[in-house]
Structure formats: C-alpha cells, structure tokens
Amino acid sequence: MASAAVAYKRTRDPFHPMIYLGLMITYIYAFLPATYFYRGLIENAFRDESSLIFAQAIHILSIAACCAGCLWPRRTGTATCFTGRIMDMPQALRNNLARLSFLLAAIGLAAYLYHLSMAGGFFEAYSRPKGGYVRGISGYVTSLPFMTILATGLYAISQQGKPIRARTTFLMLLFMSPHIIQGTFGGSRGAAFLSAVTLTFAWFTARSQRPSIGFMISILFAIGVLMLSLKVYRQTLYLGSEKQLEKRPLMEILMPQELNISDATTYSWGLIIVTHHHQRYFWGRRYLAQILVRPVPRQLWPTKYEDLGVDWMVTRPGTGGFSFTEWKTAVGWFPQAGSSTGFVADAFAEFSWGGLVVCFLVGLLYGTLWKRAAMQRGFWIVIYLEAAAVSIYLVTQGTASAWMYRLLFLTIPTYLFWRWMIGPRLAIQSRPVPVQGMPPRP
C-alpha cells in the first residue's frame, strides 16, 4: 500500500498498476497473514516456526522487488492513461476499428457458444457448481473467448471522445458477456475480475476521462468483495440450486474464520517451504512449457509435457511437482487438487533466490506498459488494458501458468492486428500532403 501511495503521489494517475496490484498484494500477502496470526490459526498448518518465517521473508523481499520494478519507470509530463485524445484518427479509420472489434467479438462469442453446446446447453452447463466450460476441447478454442477483451478495448478506442450512448454500453457488455456469465453463474473469480476491470478501463477510455482515486479504490474494493463472495458461495451459485445462501457479515467474508490450505496465502507458504526443504527447483522448465510447449497441439505432440519433465502440471495440478510423501515430510499436509499459488512462491519454486529478479521484472513490465500507455497511447492502451485484466491470475495463480499464457494469447494477436490493419493506415493518415508545385518534405 505504501508503494501504491507513492505511485499516486508521483503520477496522480488512478490507473497506475500499483493501485490495483497493491490492493490485491496487500490483501493476500499482508491482511490474510495478519488475520491468521491474530486468530491463532497458523499453528494448525505449520509446525516449524522457522520455516514459516523463512517463507514470509521470501514474500516480503519478493513483493518489495515487484514494487520497486513497478515504480522504476517514470513518465515525463502529466499525461495519464485513458484521458485526453488517445490518437488523432479520421472517422473512416474509427469505423474500421469498430468493425475489427465486431469481428473479434464474434469469434470470442462463437467460441463461448460452442462451449455451451458441448456442455449440453446453457442450463446444463450452469446447473452444477463451477459450471460452464467443459474439458477435452482444444486449448485454443477454450482461450478464444478472451478475444472479447481485445474487442472491447478496440471498440472503446473507436468511440473515444464521443458521448457515451446506450448502444456503446450495450455493445461493451455484450462483448464481455461470456466472462460476466461465467463469473456470475460459474462462480469464476478470474472471469468476474477481468470482466469488471476491462469494462471499467474501456468505459473511461471511451469517455476520455479518469476517475478520482477515491472512486477507483471504491471500484476495486467492490470487485474484491465480489470475488471473495464468489469464493465463499461458489458451491451454491448454480442454476437450480436448492441450497440457501447463508448471510454472512462483510468482515466474516474478508477475515476467514479458519485456515484453508488451498488458498493462495497458505499454499504459497507451503510451496516455498517444501521447495526449500527438498532443494528442488525447475530452473525455467515450467516457463518453457508455457511459452514454447503449450501452444503445440497435443495431436502433434502427445507427450509434450512428459518429454519436458513437467507432466505433473496436467496429471497432478496443485502439487508443485512434489509427491504426497515430500509434502508430508516438509509441512505435514498435502494440498488439495487444483490449489494455486501467487507469483511469489511460483518464482521461488522456479529459480530459488533468482525469483526475486523475476518479481522485479514482472513489476517492471507493468510499470513500463503503464508508461507507454500514458505517453504513447494508441496500441499501448490496448496492451495495458489486457495486462490489467489478467493481473488477477498473476497474484492468485502465479506467473508460469494462467497469467503468462493468457497475457501472450492476448498481446500477440493485438500486436499483429495493429501492425497489419491499423498501424499502416495511421501512418498514411499522418503523412504530410505536399503542396502543389512544391516538393514534399524529406
């Protein structure tokens, strides 16, 4: 939170990455540990106090490195994201940008509808806890609904500077409807976060205005409460559920009454301890698996994860690659299937103390994208919007799986579309027209 305050004091930009990253990091790595300590819950899961102190020290140092990287880039002047004119483009190019957003949204919506059809229809898909998507479909088809994030950003730029009309609001909601539905009826916290953040950023992009810092923090706090509520009630939130929603006070939702070994905080401590205890690190193999191996269709390379030695990412997700005996030896318990950790333990498990460098680079990436979006606008606005939308996966699921893959899946097509379809037209429009009888400027 101190870094968030410093970032806002320097920039006066409520869209600085330290604002939303700082709130999430503070809750997971400071507020929850303090709550567990206050309620005397830590002793139930960690017998060795020295190991827990070591794990928390790794948290503190890694978060400090991430904050330092995020604060490192500084812009010149007073430009802020999503305010003023993002780019000077003629109406014809705005129309082309809108058409491209419609095409991308249609692709994302079609992929989502295909998922629903494979699940037996809307009601069948969401008639169970954590419903929605089905397994066994190509990873590319599973990820295609994320194209609606790119579509929403491009459409917002095409409407930038115009009065916000009901049609604009409706289309942006329509574009993000797969994620809104998945967050509401599927209980997906990631989908709820990225839809809320994308719509917020896109709304202020179209309006060419920025909110006050108080309004931004209120929005982020509301999103946080929504995500925690989805975590608490996700076993009840499905169509046809006969379970009664138990009314709980807000503080009971924010401050857990018991320690859950599958939450990001506890599992992060555990993964650091078990990794350090057995002195077994991955040294970049998981990153290679996400960047180079995962994009290869399984039909072409059926044993791709086995060949890289990370088959546990598919067969035993949530174990960090360690066996039941290794977990029991180090911490005395075994994580639940599908448990996920944040970027701190993820980086430590990959590179040991070199994870501090990874955390610094992650913060530097967000700080650089923010600076480019504030200073150069245009293309960088869309890239920064995408990075902000998937930031929830960085804090809750680490760098090696959900965050890195989704960020690349969004930013690479964005770059290609902008370079081939938008950039050349902007260059033509900005080229000076020579006056008759005079040579053009060199």
Side-chain angles (χ1 to χ4, degrees), residues 47 63 132 134 140 163 194-195 318 361 390 406 438:
R47 299 166 298 182
I63 291 168
V134 295
Y140 287 103
L194 67 86
S195 59
L361 293 177
V390 300
R406 286 173 171 83
M438 297 186 64

Side-chain angles (χ1 to χ4, degrees), residues 110-145 178 182 186 188 294 406:
Y112 174 70
L113 293 176
Y114 175 74
H115 275 283
L116 292 183
S117 66
M118 293 295 293
F122 182 85
F123 290 98
E124 183 67 24
Y126 293 107
S127 61
R128 64 184 186 277
K130 303 180 184 179
Y133 296 121
V134 295
R135 297 182 181 273
I137 301 179
S138 168
Y140 287 103
V141 179
T142 303
S143 301
L144 277 177
Q182 186 65 24
S188 172
R294 185 174 178 178
R406 286 173 171 83

